[in-house]
Amino acid sequence: MAAPAMETHPYDVVVIGAGGAGLRAAIEARDAGATVALVCKSLLGKAHTVMAEGGVAAALGNVASADTWQIHFRDTMVGGKLLNVPRMAQLHAQEAPARVNELERWGAVFDRTRDGRILQRPFGGHSHPRLAHVGDRTGLEMIRTLQDHAVASGIDVYMECTVTHLTTGMGQTTGAFGYWRTTGRPILFPAKAIVLATGGIGKAYEITSNSWEYSGDGQALAYDAGAELIDMEFVQFHPTGMVWPPGVRGLLVTEAVRGEGGILRNSLGERFMWKYLPEDRREEYAATDEEAARWVTALSAGRETDARRPPELSTRDNVARAIYTEVKEGRGTPHGGVFLDISYLPPDHVRRKLPSMYEQFKELADVDITKGPMEVGPTTHYVMGGIRVDPDTGATTVPGLFAAGEVSGGMHGANRLGGNSLSDLLVFGARTGAGAAAHAKAMTDQPHVDPVQVETAKRELAAPFERTGGEDPYTLQRDLQSTMQRLVGIFRIDGDLSDALAELAVLRARWDSVCVDGGRAYNPGWNLVFEVRNLLTISEAITRSARLRTESRGAHSRLDYPELDDAHWGHVNSVVAKGADGAMTIRTGPLPEMPPDLAALLGSH
Ligand SMILES: Cc1cc2nc3c(=O)[nH]c(=O)nc-3n(C[C@H](O)[C@H](O)[C@H](O)COP(=O)(O)OP(=O)(O)OC[C@H]3O[C@@H](n4cnc5c(N)ncnc54)[C@H](O)[C@@H]3O)c2cc1C
């Protein structure tokens, strides 16, 4: 079958990914005078950001007047088990309020306090109610607002267009190559600067809250172009996904349910989170059911209170491990989860604060959450690790290549606090757009794209059609997900991780003979071929990093090394890069030094 002719579209800045990070980067780069292409593999408006429910974290101080960026910084660092890049956590906490207010000026309609300010709700690990929100549909409002603003500012949008290769030369990236999903026609974007904003990796696992789009494309493209990936062992398993019916297993049950007062119980009716609170932070949580109930009553009435938060609002890593343990020890629900109950609050209140959850359980599980509990269990949700970036500009270690949003690493350390992703997208999306535009401006000419690299990329696109009797991409993806779920899940052990690496090597060899039928237009099997290639790369990076870190910290729990080991691991990131021979290398690298003024904010944490 002859390949269709290639299109070529040169730009100053090409942003790959149209979620919150990509849209915010595109707006900033355009405002700086760059010509900008925004490329996304699904329809505009369908990125992951649209699924975000609970809210965007920013120390606005609208509900708790005592809240400040300094406390937000401390919470983020403590939640990340101090492995965050301090400068990123600082910029994030300082700039999130301005970015949220800007969103409001651009037309976002947030829920309101009684005196008309942006309402904020509590979330796990945040000392104060901090999440600006729109019911449980915050991402929808955010993406709608950013999208309107971006399109009006004059960027060019290429949707249903997948980038499969980056080209390099002259010591920097020179362009992005891919194809239209609608026709299969190849497309090349020569670019002075490229921003990766492609999101996460959830499709490496069987049970995940993530959609098909999360196949680690940006991480794998950056890795192949020579960039470093840091902290890939830190994959966040969200404590509450649906466990039943089977077709929706893994679908997210927002943390806002617990933020609004949801109580977790096991099959014996025990409120088990009391048992799992970390001793060193015990004083931050209510001492009794009665104090927790006072906190919920005050929250529902929009009042400040001296009651401390309920135990369900511990950090995600801790709650996920607690649920996993309860189920494993035989105190799970009939479908292998635990109960999450918000039905003790007035039905109108639940429906108003959690409209999507109400509909989700009614439609999908025939459960009315105003009348009875939900069944929930852990689900793969977010990756803290990612492409190493410069905090101020989003520059990666490869000149010309930038990254922002979930695809990048460093901001969240060993565990992300809920709500800190949406604010991360806004803060670092804007900074990265500016960084990419400045890089482009400093270049006089469009970089030369090496035609040999383009021909190689075209041949790789065509190859699956030319083979017969090879591997089916769907079988490969299923086998890969099974490996990661079984061997690189919530609890890890060296033997399993070694087995996973062996299985991944076999899968990699099988990928070489992958083949597909049919034509190029709207061919999901063909699309999956390149996503599985990327998933293989990032799964290997996760597994090698998990094997390297012989301690337990945040979302990374080693059964064979159950303790936090600050002496060896408290000040280092894991770093994955492509070696000269093409094999993956793994090493530790020093975490950037914490300046004394920031260290002082942590106190005795
Ligand atoms: C159900 C759910 C609820 C969540 N709730 C919250 C919340 O309340 N608060 C919070 O802070 N966080 C939340 N998160 C996390 C947060 O939504 C994500 O981390 C965030 O939206 C990621 O944004 P992004 O811009 O990095 O990527 P995305 O929004 O996922 O955008 C990625 C973009 O990249 C494109 N893309 C990917 N690969 C390619 C390719 N090869 N070629 C071209 N385009 C490509 C996609 O098409 C898409 O446009 C939630 C996540 C989920 C799944």
Side-chain angles (χ1 to χ4, degrees):
M1 187 196 336
M6 186 175 78
E7 291 174 31
T8 302
H9 302 277
Y11 284 93
D12 293 334
V13 176
V14 171
V15 179
I16 306 169
L23 282 162
R24 192 61 192 81
I27 290 169
E28 200 70 14
R30 185 74 195 103
D31 281 357
T35 58
V36 180
L38 183 67
V39 188
C40 51
K41 70 180 178 181
S42 60
L43 292 170
L44 187 63
K46 282 216 65 191
H48 241 85
T49 302
V50 82
M51 296 160 75
E53 294 163 345
V56 43
L60 297 162
N62 290 353
V63 171
S65 48
D67 201 12
T68 60
W69 78 260
Q70 288 90 341
I71 305 174
H72 193 184
F73 168 80
R74 193 199 60 178
D75 289 348
T76 301
M77 292 296 299
V78 169
K81 302 290 181 283
L82 304 190
L83 214 66
N84 326 52
V85 172
R87 174 81 178 148
M88 291 185 90
Q90 176 195 8
L91 291 172
H92 167 257
Q94 284 175 331
E95 295 177 9
R99 295 283 79 80
V100 171
N101 286 326
E102 169 185 78
L103 215 54
E104 191 183 41
R105 279 201 306 283
W106 291 351
V109 182
F110 289 100
D111 285 4
R112 304 254 145 216
T113 60
R114 279 163 202 231
D115 60 354
R117 290 176 297 157
I118 294 175
L119 183 60
Q120 298 183 271
R121 67 161 43 117
F123 244 50
H126 289 281
S127 297
H128 295 291
R130 193 176 277 150
L131 270 69
H133 60 277
V134 184
D136 56 6
R137 293 173 180 152
T138 312
L140 176 63
E141 186 67 2
M142 183 161 158
I143 210 150
R144 185 192 63 71
T145 307
L146 288 172
Q147 215 170 270
D148 284 357
H149 203 80
V151 171
S153 73
I155 58 166
D156 294 338
V157 178
Y158 295 81
M159 53 180 152
E160 296 198 276
C161 186
T162 299
V163 171
T164 53
H165 297 77
L166 298 181
T167 57
T168 52
M170 307 181 326
Q172 77 150 76
T173 48
T174 56
F177 171 91
Y179 66 92
W180 290 105
R181 295 168 84 89
T182 45
T183 60
R185 185 173 181 182
I187 183 164
L188 175 68
F189 299 97
K192 294 177 181 167
I194 294 171
V195 176
L196 291 169
T198 53
I201 57 89
K203 278 294 169 188
Y205 289 84
E206 271 169 359
I207 301 174
T208 177
S209 66
N210 295 176
S211 79
W212 64 270
E213 289 182 71
Y214 266 14
S215 47
D217 295 7
Q219 292 88 339
L221 288 168
Y223 167 85
D224 276 328
E228 290 178 345
L229 306 179
I230 59 169
D231 296 339
M232 290 300 286
E233 65 273 35
F234 296 110
V235 174
Q236 181 166 75
F237 298 93
H238 193 291
T240 58
M242 290 180 80
V243 293
W244 184 87
V248 295
R249 193 174 177 132
L251 198 65
L252 193 75
V253 178
T254 174
E255 187 167 331
V257 178
R258 283 175 290 131
E260 297 293 340
I263 294 175
L264 286 165
R265 293 189 196 281
N266 62 22
S267 58
L268 306 176
E270 291 165 343
R271 191 174 188 176
F272 58 84
M273 275 312 298
W274 292 121
K275 287 189 297 196
Y276 294 93
L277 290 176
E279 264 324 301
D280 57 339
R281 313 211 71 80
R282 186 67 190 75
E283 82 289 352
E284 293 174 13
Y285 296 89
T288 59
D289 281 345
E290 183 275 327
E291 185 180 352
R294 259 193 308 121
W295 182 93
V296 174
T297 308
L299 174 82
S300 304
R303 275 192 281 108
E304 292 205 35
T305 172
D306 59 357
R308 289 164 298 174
R309 59 185 189 268
E312 283 78 11
L313 288 180
S314 179
T315 51
R316 288 179 175 176
D317 53 340
N318 193 40
V319 183
R321 274 190 299 268
I323 294 176
Y324 182 93
T325 306
E326 288 297 306
V327 175
K328 189 128 183 141
E329 293 179 357
R331 296 182 293 277
T333 61
H335 299 106
V338 294
F339 293 115
L340 174 61
D341 190 15
I342 189 100
S343 66
Y344 68 96
L345 291 176
D348 280 357
H349 178 80
V350 172
R351 274 196 296 268
R352 188 161 42 82
K353 298 307 280 185
L354 302 164
S356 301
M357 285 303 106
Y358 177 76
E359 277 166 32
Q360 182 172 311
F361 274 89
K362 196 98 184 109
E363 293 290 319
L364 302 175
D366 199 19
V367 168
D368 183 343
I369 67 169
T370 66
K371 297 203 170 108
M374 304 156 237
E375 278 183 76
V376 296
T379 181
T380 312
H381 185 58
Y382 185 89
V383 61
M384 273 69 73
I387 305 166
R388 190 205 282 281
V389 290
D390 170 61
D392 289 75
T393 62
T396 71
T397 43
V398 176
L401 187 62
F402 295 76
E406 190 169 341
V407 76
S408 60
M411 164 60 213
H412 305 284
N415 176 54
R416 174 177 72 90
L417 298 187
N420 269 1
S421 173
L422 293 189
S423 37
D424 166 356
L425 311 181
L426 295 174
V427 168
F428 294 104
R431 285 188 158 271
T432 304
H439 179 90
K441 205 168 186 173
M443 290 176 69
T444 40
D445 298 321
Q446 199 72 35
H448 170 71
V449 179
D450 176 5
V452 177
Q453 291 179 30
V454 175
E455 279 315 305
T456 307
K458 281 189 198 166
R459 270 204 307 280
E460 271 182 47
L461 287 194
F465 291 111
E466 288 158 5
R467 301 188 193 109
T468 48
E471 285 284 345
D472 168 39
Y474 290 98
T475 311
L476 267 181
Q477 188 190 32
R478 206 188 50 225
D479 292 352
L480 168 70
Q481 290 170 335
S482 156
T483 298
M484 294 301 285
Q485 190 77 37
R486 273 184 295 113
L487 303 174
V488 200
I490 294 189
F491 286 105
R492 295 147 178 196
I493 189 162
D494 188 72
D496 283 355
L497 296 170
S498 304
D499 290 350
L501 285 175
E503 290 188 19
L504 289 171
V506 172
L507 289 165
R508 169 70 73 180
R510 286 171 57 192
W511 184 85
D512 288 338
S513 69
V514 73
C515 69
V516 290
D517 290 332
R520 286 179 172 231
Y522 289 116
N523 186 331
W526 184 50
N527 297 333
L528 188 60
V529 168
F530 307 101
E531 292 173 348
V532 172
R533 177 198 65 185
N534 298 334
L535 285 171
L536 281 163
T537 299
I538 59 98
S539 296
E540 184 180 345
I542 292 168
T543 310
R544 286 197 187 283
S545 307
R547 192 153 175 252
L548 182 75
R549 186 173 286 275
T550 48
E551 66 155 356
S552 291
R553 180 180 297 267
H556 172 64
S557 301
R558 289 280 301 250
L559 288 171
D560 42 356
Y561 297 94
E563 304 300 329
L564 192 80
D565 179 359
D566 269 334
H568 293 102
W569 294 103
H571 306 281
V572 290
N573 300 112
S574 62
V575 184
V576 162
K578 197 172 197 167
D581 60 356
M584 190 174 281
T585 65
I586 172 95
R587 64 179 173 84
T588 57
L591 187 67
E593 203 63 43
M594 173 113 53
D597 56 327
L598 291 184
L601 296 179
L602 297 177
S604 59
H605 40 94

